Amino acid sequence: MENLKKMAGIKAAEYVKDGMVVGLGTGSTAYYFVEEIGRRIKEEGLQITAVTTSSVTSKQAEGLNIPLKSIDQVDVVDVTVDGADEVDSQFNGIKGGGGALLMEKVVATPSKEYIWVVDESKLVEKLGAFKLPVEVVQYGAEQVFRRFERAGYKPSFREKDSQRFVTDMQNFIIDLALDVIEDPIAFGQELDHVVGVVEHGLFNQMVDKVIVAGRDGVQILTSTKAK
């Protein structure tokens, strides 16, 4: 599996050219993309500026001497490469397994080209088997939790080291065990209107390309959005 992730990450790095502003994703597959960008800077003299989607990725990039700027210091991002936890046949996805969904969506939104790198196990017919992360402000989080409970969404607060997990933006994450999301777009819109929800892990019709590494090699899927 690690080899497949590495293949996808290295393939994605081919889309990065000199002079670009590049969004560096978070997660186990995006890790290899960041490593490859670092190698190209060191060995090939690649010249880029990067913005990151989490403190974890920032630390990795700094260790590789990748020049960084804040997302607020750039107008647009030429290309962002990130992972995904699930991708359906309509190019909707669930992200946020690593807890960075808010920053990931902030960087993805101004990106001219948005690419996901995944292994083939992440491709699904319908989203929902992977728990849907919802980032909520700490104040009133229990109210939001109970609302989700009443709706039958089987919520659970994400924890780390027996404490509630706190995101880089100092919020909590409530994971929803939905099993199947029949209409991701409608459900995303519903969550957008819940007071206390900062962002959710449904990345609907945002991605341009999905680079999939499988046992038969690397496959590049292009969404209708990009055509």
Side-chain angles (χ1 to χ4, degrees), residues 38-224:
R39 184 199 67 77
R40 287 186 59 194
I41 287 172
K42 182 180 178 181
E43 297 180 11
E44 300 174 10
L46 177 70
Q47 295 188 328
I48 59 140
T49 300
V51 295
T52 71
T53 54
S54 69
S55 58
V56 171
T57 305
S58 293
K59 187 175 179 181
Q60 181 190 5
E62 287 164 0
L64 294 166
N65 295 314
I66 298 174
L68 297 180
K69 281 189 176 180
S70 157
I71 188 65
D72 289 327
Q73 293 175 300
V74 301
D75 292 324
V76 295
V77 179
D78 293 295
V79 60
T80 292
V81 175
D82 208 345
D85 298 303
E86 281 187 341
V87 185
D88 73 10
S89 56
Q90 302 302 306
F91 291 89
N92 303 310
I94 289 179
K95 290 175 50 51
L101 60 138
L102 175 57
M103 291 176 70
E104 288 170 341
K105 201 172 275 190
V106 166
V107 172
T109 301
S111 296
K112 292 180 185 176
E113 186 166 34
Y114 188 37
I115 299 171
W116 287 341
V117 286
V118 299
D119 64 78
E120 60 188 357
S121 71
K122 303 295 174 34
L123 300 183
V124 297
E125 190 55 38
K126 289 188 177 181
L127 303 177
F130 191 92
K131 289 183 180 182
L132 177 65
V134 181
E135 189 159 341
V136 301
V137 294
Q138 294 194 30
Y139 182 78
E142 295 285 351
Q143 290 281 349
V144 177
F145 184 91
R146 290 196 290 271
R147 175 174 175 161
F148 289 157
E149 244 180 355
R150 289 192 297 271
Y153 298 157
K154 302 176 194 167
S156 58
F157 279 103
R158 188 174 299 185
E159 294 190 347
K160 184 178 181 180
D161 301 326
S162 301
Q163 302 285 329
R164 283 190 184 169
F165 175 78
V166 178
T167 69
D168 283 344
M169 298 292 103
Q170 302 304 302
N171 300 312
F172 291 148
I173 288 182
I174 298 175
D175 290 306
L176 306 181
L178 300 164
D179 298 325
V180 174
I181 302 172
E182 292 292 348
D183 188 339
I185 293 173
F187 194 63
Q189 290 170 343
E190 176 187 326
L191 293 174
D192 286 338
H193 290 92
V194 175
V195 175
V197 169
V198 183
E199 194 49 83
H200 54 77
L202 284 169
F203 283 57
N204 293 323
Q205 299 179 341
M206 293 179 70
V207 73
D208 297 291
K209 290 185 179 67
V210 182
I211 298 176
V212 186
R215 283 172 286 276
D216 298 328
V218 175
Q219 182 183 11
I220 300 173
L221 307 178
T222 302
S223 76
T224 52

